[in-house]
């Protein structure tokens, strides 16, 4: 015998037969037919290649090998049944893997995860910040349950739910710039500090600018929004375009100012995504609903 193939159901039948020693009683207790019980015992005996019960004068008597197996199996079965009971009673227990791109992950989703965890303490959340396109791969590979992205997606295997339109705003620490409105090209000579060129933020901005993007005076392209904000605060001649949600605190505290741009509004869609074949168990559905209700606008 290479591997033990005794099922939990067979363990349960064996333990009950060993205790009751009457198939009629086992049949009544477990709501099984006597032939199915006999077949289960036969299967176990064939697997171990040993007789576990003696049949004496039409009576079923557990033998020494049967008693040895009973002592081994009983505590295992009790543990498994205890786990099954706890698992059924506590449906909100398990893990969910979430991945998010930069802005929604740092400035929106963190609060949602915190509030959700307060409600469901037995659900563990793994939160990843991979490269945006990598989120799609992780979902297709089944390594991430739900993703949050800020770019357009055309994948027939991915379901996307619109959460909100993320506005990108032009900001600076130079207060004098809020005294009037500007056409965007009137600001091209400023020292532009932008997110890295491959980022969804910068690509969205470039899409709106079209061919004139080549006239933009880009001084630095940085990976992290925090670094850009710090430079903007220190240098009044610096300017940037950033997601509105990422600068809410700085604008409230008058460290940065939103510059009014004439005839242009920079927006992009933010989506919650998951695989179309994802099994929607109670944990998945509760998190999906909670996230949508607390983020969507």
């Amino acid at each position: 015998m290479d591997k033990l193939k005794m099922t939990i159901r067979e363990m349960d039948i064996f333990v009950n037969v060993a205790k009751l020693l009457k198939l009629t009683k086992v049949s009544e207790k477990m709501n099984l037919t006597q032939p199915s019980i006999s077949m289960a015992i036969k299967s176990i005996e064939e697997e171990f290649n040993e007789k576990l019960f003696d049949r004496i004068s039409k009576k079923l008597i557990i033998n020494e090998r049967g008693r040895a197996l009973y002592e081994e199996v009983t505590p295992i079965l009790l543990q498994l049944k205890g786990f099954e009971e706890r698992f059924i009673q506590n449906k909100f227990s398990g893990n969910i893997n979430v991945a998010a791109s930069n802005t929604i992950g740092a400035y929106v989703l963190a609060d949602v995860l915190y509030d959700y965890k307060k409600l469901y303490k037995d659900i563990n959340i793994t939160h990843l910040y991979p490269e945006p396109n990598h989120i799609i791969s992780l979902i297709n590979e089944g390594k991430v349950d739900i993703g949050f992205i800020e770019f357009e997606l055309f994948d027939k295997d991915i379901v996307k739910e619109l959460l909100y339109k993320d506005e990108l705003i032009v900001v600076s620490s130079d207060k004098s710039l809020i005294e009037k409105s500007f056409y965007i090209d009137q600001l091209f000579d400023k020292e532009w500090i932008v997110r890295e060129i491959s980022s969804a933020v910068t690509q969205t901005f470039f899409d709106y600018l079209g061919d004139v993007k080549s006239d933009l005076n880009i001084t630095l392209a940085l990976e992290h929004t925090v670094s850009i904000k710090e430079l903007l605060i220190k240098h009044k001649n610096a300017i940037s375009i950033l997601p509105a949600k990422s600068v809410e605190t700085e604008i409230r505290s008058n460290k940065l100012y939103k510059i009014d741009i004439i005839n242009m509004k920079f927006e992009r869609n933010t989506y919650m995504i998951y695989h179309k074949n994802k099994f929607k168990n109670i944990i998945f559905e509760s998190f999906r609903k909670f996230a949508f209700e607390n983020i969507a606008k």
Side-chain angles (χ1 to χ4, degrees), residues 130-292:
E131 288 294 320
N133 288 329
H134 194 206
I135 295 174
I136 311 305
S137 300
L138 291 171
I139 287 178
N140 280 321
E141 293 166 9
K143 295 177 180 177
V144 161
D145 300 305
I146 294 181
F148 297 86
I149 60 172
E150 297 138 340
F151 55 89
E152 289 303 322
L153 169 67
F154 304 97
D155 187 322
K156 60 182 176 57
D157 292 325
I158 302 291
V159 176
K160 61 180 184 181
E161 298 184 46
L162 179 65
L163 294 173
Y164 60 88
K165 285 191 174 294
D166 183 33
E167 184 183 3
L168 307 179
I169 61 174
V170 179
V171 291
S172 171
S173 62
D174 186 353
K175 190 176 182 180
S176 68
L177 294 177
I178 66 172
E179 294 174 0
K180 65 175 185 176
S181 300
F182 296 87
Y183 290 100
I184 190 64
D185 59 350
Q186 291 178 299
L187 299 169
F188 278 5
D189 61 340
K190 295 287 185 181
E191 295 176 353
W192 283 83
I193 303 173
V194 298
R195 289 284 310 280
E196 72 273 26
I197 303 302
S198 62
S199 74
V201 171
T202 303
Q203 286 301 313
T204 299
F205 186 41
F206 283 178
D207 288 343
Y208 276 97
L209 294 182
D211 293 338
V212 299
K213 67 178 180 289
S214 59
D215 297 329
L216 198 66
N217 177 32
I218 297 178
T219 302
L220 278 175
L222 300 176
E223 182 179 358
H224 299 294
T225 302
V226 173
S227 301
I228 295 173
K229 292 191 292 185
E230 289 178 353
L231 285 173
L232 292 177
I233 293 168
K234 288 178 183 177
H235 304 284
K236 284 194 172 183
N237 197 47
I239 196 169
S240 186
I241 184 162
L242 293 170
K245 291 184 179 296
S246 71
V247 290
E248 286 178 346
T249 301
E250 289 77 15
I251 288 177
R252 278 198 302 267
S253 60
N254 295 321
K255 291 180 178 179
L256 293 176
Y257 302 95
K258 177 185 177 182
I259 302 168
D260 186 47
I261 305 299
I262 300 171
N263 294 336
M264 292 194 85
K265 189 173 185 181
F266 310 102
E267 290 182 325
R268 58 182 179 165
N269 291 332
T270 297
Y271 298 102
M272 175 167 58
I273 61 173
Y274 48 88
H275 199 277
K276 69 177 184 180
N277 295 328
K278 169 67 183 170
F279 179 66
K280 300 171 182 62
N281 59 36
I282 194 168
I283 296 176
F284 175 90
E285 280 295 354
S286 73
F287 181 81
R288 188 200 66 79
K289 183 179 179 183
F290 186 88
F292 190 83

Side-chain angles (χ1 to χ4, degrees), residues 31-42:
N31 194 27
L32 294 172
T33 64
Q34 291 187 42
S36 64
I37 297 169
S38 297
M39 285 178 63
I41 296 300
K42 183 180 179 182

